Amino acid sequence: MKFLAPFIFLTFLLLEVKGQFVPALFIFGDSIFDVGNNNDLVTLIKANFPPYGRDFVDHEPTGRFCNGKLALDIIAEQIGFTDYQLAYMSDKANGEMLLIGANFASAASGYYNATAILYNTISLSQQLENYREYKNKLVDITGKFNASSRISRGIHLISAGSSDFLQNYYINPLLFTTYTPDTFSDILLNSYDHFIQNLYELGARRIGVTTLPPLGCLPAAITAFGHGNNQCVARLNNNAISFNNKLKHRSQRLTRRLSKLKLVVLDIYNPLYTLITEPAENGFAEVRRACCGTGLLETSILCNQHSIGTCSNASQYVFWDSFHPTEAANQILAHELIRSGSSLIQP
């Protein structure tokens, strides 16, 4: 697979921050990074039941929206962690387990707080409050100086925006009749700006944020907005590209304004688009349909152990459910995220 060429070098590069391992990962955002924070919420947006997790450790569902590992899990392994950062809402997220960081991400959340409210999930602003609470716990465990050092040297990762468009804007007449996609993007980016500044004030110095994926190529998006055409929906992809360009410019402004901040935009759009448009070259046989059920619309509770048609070999599919990649796709995406984020760990 052609994406893997720089991987060995970058793995060794990622292992070192001024001679030390990256001490912690702090994760925010949506279902791309959620590892179970929605499990005990009263929401339809969760993945703590089969067939989710069937190829994960012990073949058990954890709340990850995947058959196996998220790209995040693979990144954590390659950085050198032997345990995954736990969902902060989990009962197990306490004591020494907090020393390696924590995962605050919640599926169906985004930069637009109303998206999380709509689905009764954990908004990005509430994730920030949870992080603030976490920081106080870390101070109790390690002392103020060590906690501050761990946070400043740790890597903070954010994935958000997809749910704001696909699960809110495009299906909500109160939004799409009021705002153009361009205007809505500006609203999201203002929230992003505020979030980064708050993280910085709390001590974060190394932050990576993912771009939007090619929204119009997700199986559910083609089904819902493709008007019977099985090709990627160009309008949605163009909105994602426009948002991503603005995200890069906004991030550059933040870096200039916050002198000690290392903020890197992690491109997920192009690697995923390449997998979708060149599947055979990357070892995949199916891109239009996801593995779970019919593969056209199922996600969350619609992707369950009674879903008819679920594939037997997910490694042949780019998508596990109609929104989320398989572990096989995540392996490639993780390597690309490591490559684009290599400057995060340079002294």
Side-chain angles (χ1 to χ4, degrees), residues 14-273:
L14 271 169
L15 289 176
E16 190 171 356
V17 179
K18 295 185 178 180
Q20 300 176 15
F21 287 101
V22 175
L25 288 179
F26 307 99
I27 318 300
F28 305 87
D30 55 23
S31 57
I32 295 299
F33 284 166
D34 187 358
V35 296
N37 282 306
N38 283 12
N39 288 0
D40 295 322
L41 300 181
V42 181
T43 179
L44 298 177
I45 313 300
K46 56 179 66 179
N48 58 335
F49 45 82
Y52 286 104
R54 73 179 194 187
D55 300 312
F56 193 63
V57 179
D58 297 326
H59 308 288
E60 292 290 335
T62 60
R64 288 166 169 80
F65 284 76
C66 188
N67 62 302
K69 296 175 184 176
L70 304 180
L72 171 69
D73 299 319
I74 298 158
I75 290 169
E77 291 173 354
Q78 299 304 329
I79 289 177
F81 290 100
T82 56
D83 292 303
Y84 300 129
Q85 285 68 28
L86 294 175
Y88 184 68
M89 303 302 291
S90 165
D91 292 337
K92 296 179 182 178
N94 52 58
E96 291 189 358
M97 290 304 298
L98 297 178
L99 294 178
I100 61 170
N103 187 310
F104 305 92
S106 172
S109 68
Y111 295 120
Y112 195 62
N113 274 349
T115 302
I117 293 171
L118 187 64
Y119 294 98
N120 198 38
T121 60
I122 307 169
S123 68
L124 210 55
S125 60
Q126 182 58 52
Q127 291 178 38
L128 189 71
E129 290 306 308
N130 291 345
Y131 175 73
R132 196 185 307 271
E133 179 184 80
Y134 161 88
K135 184 179 177 182
N136 291 333
K137 292 180 180 179
L138 190 62
V139 169
D140 290 340
I141 296 169
T142 68
K144 187 173 182 179
F145 176 82
N146 289 330
S148 296
S149 175
R150 190 169 292 271
I151 285 173
S152 65
R153 291 189 299 111
I155 294 176
H156 297 65
L157 297 175
I158 306 160
S159 170
S162 296
S163 294
D164 293 320
F165 277 102
L166 290 174
Q167 293 172 270
N168 199 354
Y169 177 80
Y170 290 133
I171 62 173
N172 187 344
L174 294 177
L175 290 178
F176 67 68
T177 60
T178 303
Y179 305 111
T180 65
D182 194 57
T183 304
F184 188 64
S185 290
D186 290 338
I187 293 171
L188 301 186
L189 287 164
N190 286 338
S191 175
Y192 164 71
D193 193 302
H194 186 65
F195 184 77
I196 296 297
Q197 290 186 72
N198 280 324
L199 269 185
Y200 185 83
E201 290 170 4
L202 288 170
R205 294 295 181 265
R206 300 170 184 268
I207 303 175
V209 56
T210 64
T211 63
L212 290 183
L215 297 175
C217 295
L218 306 186
I222 296 175
T223 301
F225 306 110
H227 304 292
N229 189 324
N230 283 325
Q231 304 302 311
C232 296
V233 184
R235 171 174 64 94
L236 273 60
N237 280 353
N238 289 337
N239 292 161
I241 291 170
S242 176
F243 176 90
N244 292 342
N245 287 333
K246 290 185 175 186
L247 177 68
K248 292 171 188 175
H249 291 142
R250 187 66 67 97
S251 298
Q252 290 168 357
R253 283 170 48 187
L254 282 161
T255 301
R256 288 193 296 268
R257 190 189 322 153
L258 306 172
S259 61
K260 296 181 181 179
L261 176 64
K262 184 169 286 188
L263 175 60
V264 178
V265 175
L266 306 172
D267 178 25
I268 195 122
Y269 184 102
N270 288 299
L272 184 53
Y273 187 76

